[in-house]
Amino acid sequence: MNAQTWWLLLEGAWTTAWISGVAIAIGVVAGLAIALVRMARIPVIDQVLVIYISLARATPLVTLVLFIFLVAPTFGIVMNRNIAGIMALTLNTAAFNAEIWRAAFLSFSREQKEAALACGMTNGVIFRRIMLPQMFTTSLPGLVNEMSFLIKGSPAIAVIGIVDLTRVTNRISAVTYEPLPPILAAAALYMIIISMLLKLQDMAEKKANRLTM
Amino acid sequence: MPDLPAVAIERLSKSFNGIEVLRDVDLTVNRGEVVSILGSSGSGKSTLLRCINWLEQPDRGAIRIGGQRIGVDDNGRRMPARELAALRAKTGMVFQSFNLWPHLTVLHNVTEAPIHVKGVAKKEAVRTARELLDKVGMAHKMEAYPYTLSGGQKQRVAIARALAMSPEVILFDEPTSALDPELVGEVLGVMKDLSAEGYTMVVVTHEMEFARAVSDQVVFLDKGIIIERAAPEQFFTAPETERVRKFLELKQ
Amino acid sequence: MTEWDIIWAARDDFLYGFANTLVIFALSALLAFVLGCVIVYLLEGPKSGPRTLLRWLINIMRTLPFLILAYLLYYGLPTLGVRLDAWTAGVGALIVYHGAYFAELLRGARVVLPGGTVEAARAYGFTTFTMFMRIILPQLLIRTRPLIGNQLVICLKDTAFLTIITVQELTAAANSVQSTYFIPLEAFVVVIALYWLISICLEVTIKQLGRFGKKRGFEHA
Ligand SMILES: Nc1ncnc2c1ncn2[C@@H]1O[C@H](COP(=O)(O)OP(=O)(O)OP(=O)(O)O)[C@@H](O)[C@H]1O
Ligand SMILES: [Mg+2]
């Protein structure tokens, strides 16, 4: 592989990174929002969210990407590839994140809440000052885990022609006629990115475990 | 054929990380005999017991089960895994924490090893298991899963499980230490019956009355050395060493 | 003719894709599961060179996207003189990839399995193989049931990646129907519903199997 193919590969890596990054950022926040709404148990909305989560967890990313990219124009919406990719990844990851956040809510101990109420805190203060920081710590390992799943699923966006780190190997081998080196190089780049996330997850787990002591 | 001892231990030594836990232990357990091993915590009782069936590998010394050397041959070569397993099958072990197999019913806990280790026919194994469970008073719980049983019941099942292998010797490692006081009696009762029936047993215990009533031989371990061995009457009434006297005083 | 009539007319395409997805999924999930069990069995015992290598391989799989492995088998292997058709390469990749994940989740349970039951088996003369099959594996399976369920759903979803390496599975069917008749909404609603159906069946089955462990007191463990 020469400098030019490496450059192409890095461009692919960058595409994977930024699209995943945007999806992760929106997905984490959207997940929290969904979890909060679900905690409120509003009729109808709650059922709709349950169905959304169940569907999103069962739908393959490839299928979802195609669905969004191909269906939008039939409603007269002009869909940019990257936006379709981001939407699909986000819809998928938000569902998983919502469950992670919700589990953190549900595990929040009643005693702590009572202790805070006994100190005269209002529900709003309790949520912001006591619950949220702890929920963040307990959710973080799960959220990071979901981030690595998202990156592992991100090659799905190649199906609508986005040249990500996986798809770029096709491009390179179309020129070099040697498919193996770019695929291995791409694999190595994925390994680096995801290893870092796994390491981060490890650290987050240690921190979360301290909280339960 | 001369009547070989059920267990013969010669000059057994074992260290963990350079710390000697057993030192030159000699012990012979004859067929039908009950030997109690006493000693304070950390004196090496469990280690000695676990060396007998090679759950721990001793550094030096020889152990024979019914005359057959376990673990290594006389030239120091390691025994093939299959032979080791076959020899282990000739010993039964009862653990402090029961160690029943939680995914199997009481009945299957008892039949599991006979069927899958010894190759006993299933029907035969079930018949034997029924008898043994009846003997330990657990026949009514045959279809129950271990988690539904009390500690005493679990331990009685564990004893039936050991008996099912028709072992040369049964090794007990503090079988009543994890039990609530009111459940100790039912397990000791079963063990007493076994000794009366002539089973060979090596028992690590802190139950002095039991040791006194049931043992043929009492052995006292102190820092990995057998410092006293005697018939129970003599051991409990006229101990030779100051160490044992102190130990017995504390147990009063 | 409404869009739904067109879908109905094209039902054979969907059925073919659906059947293919089911076969690919069932075959690779089953073999991956077996592979995972075999790997955990091989990991049984003291640390050694081959075992460390095996754990490395598992960890490598955990850091790779599934599609990269599929690429490796489909586009990469021919360089080494091994030419697999898309279907075989895809199924092979699914087996290896998910085999590693099954191995990892079983290994996680093995590490925290209370040692007493294993020790008892050893004391009773079980050979390593019999002990693994009769004492260790059943407990691992009971304890990892929900994780196995998750992994199965992930495996099902990964079958859709094979459309990228030209396997004619369910997503490919939707894509080909929509491009022929220009009815993407209906085509994809149908296949997403089918994926949903399979995964709900999986979840129900896995939940039912929970009774097995509950009866044995595992759920509070
Ligand atoms: N696997 C091991 N690794 C390192 N040290 C060990 C191991 N097993 C036992 N030991 C040490 O060997 C010594 C003897 O232990 P052992 O369990 O045989 O004592 P014990 O007489 O059975 O005590 P207890 O009455 O508390 O059960 C102890 O100091 C213990 O810490
Ligand atoms: Mg002990």
Side-chain angles (χ1 to χ4, degrees), chain B residues 50 93 101 103 112 145, chain C residues 116-117 119 122 124 134 216:
Chain B
R50 292 159 54 81
M93 190 168 212
W101 296 310
H103 59 298
E112 183 72 12
Y145 283 98
Chain C
T117 60
E119 179 141 278
R122 195 164 290 131
Y124 280 78
R134 304 214 43 101
R216 290 160 174 77

Side-chain angles (χ1 to χ4, degrees), chain C residues 79-137:
Chain C
T79 319
L80 306 178
V82 184
R83 196 168 293 277
L84 303 174
D85 62 77
W87 196 90
T88 314
V91 170
L94 281 168
I95 293 170
V96 172
Y97 191 76
H98 289 278
Y101 281 80
F102 278 123
E104 177 62 13
L105 66 88
L106 290 172
R107 193 191 66 81
R110 178 66 184 91
V111 171
V112 298
L113 188 73
T117 60
V118 179
E119 179 141 278
R122 195 164 290 131
Y124 280 78
F126 280 84
T127 56
T128 309
F129 180 71
T130 319
M131 174 166 80
F132 184 78
M133 293 303 287
R134 304 214 43 101
I135 306 295
I136 298 177
L137 191 58

Side-chain angles (χ1 to χ4, degrees), chain B residues 40-47 50 96 173-174 204 206:
Chain B
S40 50
S41 183
S43 56
K45 306 182 296 292
S46 297
T47 308
R50 292 159 54 81
Q96 179 173 348
D173 192 359
E174 303 196 29
V204 171
H206 289 290

